[in-house]
Amino acid sequence: MRKTSVWAWGVAIVCFVVLMIVTPAIPQSQEYHNFADQRKFLGIPNALNVVSNFPFLVIGLIGLVLCHHGNYFKLSIYVQYLKLIPFDMCIESLQGELWGWTCFYIGVAAVAFGSAYYHLKPNDARLVWDRLPMTVAFTSIIGIFIIERIDERKGTVSLIPLILAGVVSIMYWRFFDDLRPYAAVQFVPCLAIPLMAILLPPMYTHSTYWLWAAGFYLLAKIEEAADKPIYNWTYHIVSGHTVKHLCAAMVPVFLTLMLAKRDIETNRVSLFQSWRISWSKTKENGAAVDSLTCTYSSVAVEESR
């Protein structure tokens, strides 16, 4: 591991330790388990909150199949074809992305079982199995981003430590009733991924799909917080938590579409730089339009008698 990697991990650990020292513990509120929609259908308690997890299973299985069947997503296989990096680095990058996306889709598919199991009888013990697969998906995405945007080898090496950090955060919450490590694991990717997607040059095209996915996840968190208001606004048709499940499932949907559509980005320019270029061209075109001058000629008008 290079010195920069050691420094990066060291800074991250120091920041985490300082955060744990200066902030108070965050216990799990038992009110969290009191969802707005607790109706039973066909003998299933909290039915809509349970069955609304089914899309996670569908998209998770689809993603797993496409990752491993015929190399449909291609991943980094075109990098060596375009002779952008040596063959051995291409294989490592390919394997890193393959395992990263595999862990992500396993986490997404497992959300369907973990969240459904939790919503059948909401309590802290079952909430572990709801949060665990989500954490695997979150941390896998961070590793994938490091592979794509920073360094293939570092991203590949960081996959296992990141996933383990997520699992440890769940265990810490369960044994010490303190959500701070889990909150860091959950919300740091929410900030880091959009920033990295905007500021760092991409390896692939269709980078805007990352922003669509982040937007849907933010919307899902808002709907989760507005569980009871949405239930009242819809006249008890659907609750905010149910809609949150459906909205959150759009995150892997957009990422799957991105994987299916993307290709190697030969001109690696960040979204921020491309936006600046587009804005500059727009201003130049606007200035060109403003600089146009019009000339008028006088026309003699014959008065009628």
Side-chain angles (χ1 to χ4, degrees), residues 23-139:
T23 59
I26 304 175
Q28 176 65 58
S29 172
Q30 294 306 300
E31 182 62 22
Y32 178 84
H33 306 304
N34 185 25
F35 297 101
D37 188 358
Q38 301 181 15
R39 292 173 294 179
K40 180 185 291 188
F41 293 122
L42 302 176
I44 304 174
N46 309 308
L48 290 184
N49 285 343
V50 172
V51 300
S52 57
N53 288 289
F54 182 69
F56 290 106
L57 177 62
V58 175
I59 190 62
L61 293 179
I62 290 174
L64 279 173
V65 171
L66 295 181
C67 271
H68 293 272
H69 179 70
N71 194 28
Y72 183 81
F73 288 150
K74 301 180 182 69
L75 300 174
S76 300
I77 197 67
Y78 285 141
V79 178
Q80 198 273 333
Y81 175 74
L82 293 172
K83 302 187 184 304
L84 298 177
I85 61 175
F87 180 74
D88 58 339
M89 290 182 65
C90 171
I91 295 301
E92 183 173 354
S93 176
L94 172 61
Q95 291 299 318
E97 285 198 277
L98 178 62
W99 287 115
W101 285 111
T102 298
C103 291
F104 172 74
Y105 282 115
I106 289 175
V108 169
V111 166
F113 298 102
S115 185
Y117 175 70
Y118 163 66
H119 283 288
L120 287 171
K121 188 179 179 181
N123 56 47
D124 283 357
R126 290 181 175 231
L127 186 56
V128 172
W129 302 106
D130 180 22
R131 288 175 170 169
L132 191 58
M134 287 191 292
T135 303
V136 171
F138 289 143
T139 50

Side-chain angles (χ1 to χ4, degrees), residues 216 218-228 230 239-248:
F216 270 101
L218 176 61
L219 181 60
K221 299 305 291 184
I222 295 172
E223 291 163 345
E224 181 182 30
D227 182 30
K228 293 179 181 178
I230 291 176
S239 70
H241 202 85
T242 298
V243 179
K244 174 248 186 180
H245 286 164
L246 301 177
C247 201

Side-chain angles (χ1 to χ4, degrees), residues 140-191:
S140 299
I141 285 294
I142 290 293
I144 291 167
F145 244 89
I146 295 173
I147 292 172
E148 287 190 14
R149 305 296 173 113
I150 299 176
D151 184 86
E152 293 86 359
R153 185 166 297 172
K154 292 177 183 177
T156 302
V157 171
S158 68
L159 273 172
I160 293 178
L162 285 169
I163 293 174
L164 288 177
V167 173
V168 169
S169 74
I170 297 290
M171 297 299 102
Y172 185 89
W173 156 64
R174 188 69 184 103
F175 287 109
F176 298 101
D177 195 22
D178 186 358
L179 286 169
R180 286 178 297 173
Y182 174 73
V185 168
Q186 185 178 32
F187 289 108
V188 166
C190 297
L191 297 175

Side-chain angles (χ1 to χ4, degrees), residues 288-298:
V289 171
D290 292 339
S291 64
L292 292 177
T293 58
C294 298
T295 59
Y296 300 90
S297 58
S298 59

